[in-house]
Amino acid sequence: MAITRHPDRAGGTIKGRFDNPVLFATIATLIDAKSKPATSDDQRSTGQRQAEALADVCGYVLDHGDVPRAGGHRPHLNVHIPLAELENRVRTAVLDFGGTIATKDLRLLACNAGVIPIVMNGDSQPLDIGRANRVIPDGMRRAVAARDRGCARCGRPASWCDIHHIVEWQNGGPTEINNLVMLCKMHHREIHATEWIVWIGDGRPEFIPPRWVDPDQIPRRSTMLAV
């Protein structure tokens, strides 16, 4: 198996061959289970669903699994933001494994993460290292999970989900239950990257599709929240 970082652009390539049928079946079974279309509106290709399923499974293991510690801490993603970008309200940032990420992806990562700000100068030297701050307290996450019963869009179990600020935190959105919604990683990406809109209606999350999905833009709820 080979993991290769793209030196000239974001992302990378993962290639693997498994001659052991048990190893292959284990991986294939899990990816197949997690890559089925999430809703009737799921427009992703089979390859895209499978790739995102692999990433979701790895993310789940980082959050919940018995992962070997690295440098005394559980493995985690580090996002590097240059001082000039921070002063300009952050348009791009860089991950440890390379690749510049766009604002929408940075906001997605920050929605449900522990954040340690490290401000760098132009010579890549740290100017300030802040203390970790958990954006969504554990008690608040449990309250949102009790209301939404998993992903409020498709019903995926809460353990596979993130918490999303409906009005973004950096835009003054409060960390309170009426401004939070539980989303699986696929639908979390969808909210950040497409024209889908989420709001709280009658105390429950509702999703307004873009006009190209539904010209009438009729609000939708997860079948878990239909009653």
Side-chain angles (χ1 to χ4, degrees):
M1 184 167 178
I3 300 176
T4 305
R5 182 174 63 191
H6 293 158
D8 55 347
R9 63 186 190 279
T13 301
I14 299 176
K15 293 183 179 180
R17 172 175 172 167
F18 296 89
D19 294 322
N20 185 312
V22 175
L23 292 179
F24 176 77
T26 300
I27 295 169
T29 299
L30 187 55
I31 291 178
D32 179 68
K34 293 298 179 184
S35 63
K36 292 179 171 59
T39 66
S40 59
D41 302 313
D42 194 342
Q43 300 294 314
R44 297 174 298 165
S45 67
T46 300
Q48 184 178 4
R49 292 199 312 270
Q50 291 176 340
E52 292 186 4
L54 177 60
D56 288 350
V57 169
C58 292
Y60 181 90
V61 172
L62 282 177
D63 288 340
H64 304 282
D66 184 13
V67 182
R69 292 179 175 265
H73 302 280
R74 290 183 60 201
H76 55 276
L77 294 177
N78 290 319
V79 181
H80 303 263
I81 305 172
L83 178 60
E85 289 292 330
L86 187 64
E87 293 173 340
N88 288 315
R89 297 185 63 83
V90 187
R91 293 166 297 178
T92 59
V94 179
L95 295 168
D96 272 347
F97 276 87
T100 300
I101 60 175
T103 303
K104 62 180 178 63
D105 296 318
L106 179 60
R107 288 174 177 167
L108 188 153
L109 286 174
C111 263
N112 191 38
V115 177
I116 302 177
I118 304 176
V119 181
M120 315 290 284
N121 65 13
D123 297 323
S124 297
Q125 297 297 315
L127 299 177
D128 181 70
I129 300 177
R131 297 181 64 186
N133 175 55
R134 194 168 185 83
V135 178
I136 307 295
D138 289 340
M140 186 69 70
R141 178 183 172 89
R142 288 194 293 271
V144 177
R147 182 198 66 193
D148 295 352
R149 307 176 200 171
C151 177
R153 179 89 161 82
C154 69
R156 182 168 285 187
S159 58
W160 290 85
C161 295
D162 298 332
I163 301 293
H164 170 72
H165 280 82
I166 296 172
V167 177
E168 293 178 348
W169 183 77
Q170 66 266 30
N171 293 332
T175 302
E176 59 186 33
I177 192 166
N178 288 330
N179 190 49
L180 301 174
V181 61
M182 179 162 277
L183 297 171
C184 69
K185 294 186 184 300
M186 192 279 273
H187 284 116
H188 197 179
R189 287 188 290 265
E190 179 183 71
I191 286 294
H192 279 276
T194 70
E195 297 175 2
W196 279 85
I197 297 171
V198 58
W199 66 12
I200 302 296
D202 297 326
R204 300 289 189 183
E206 294 184 340
F207 297 84
I208 302 174
R211 292 191 183 278
W212 60 267
V213 173
D214 179 3
D216 296 325
Q217 294 190 293
I218 298 174
R220 305 181 184 189
R221 284 185 180 179
S222 166
T223 55
M224 299 285 291
L225 304 175
V227 294

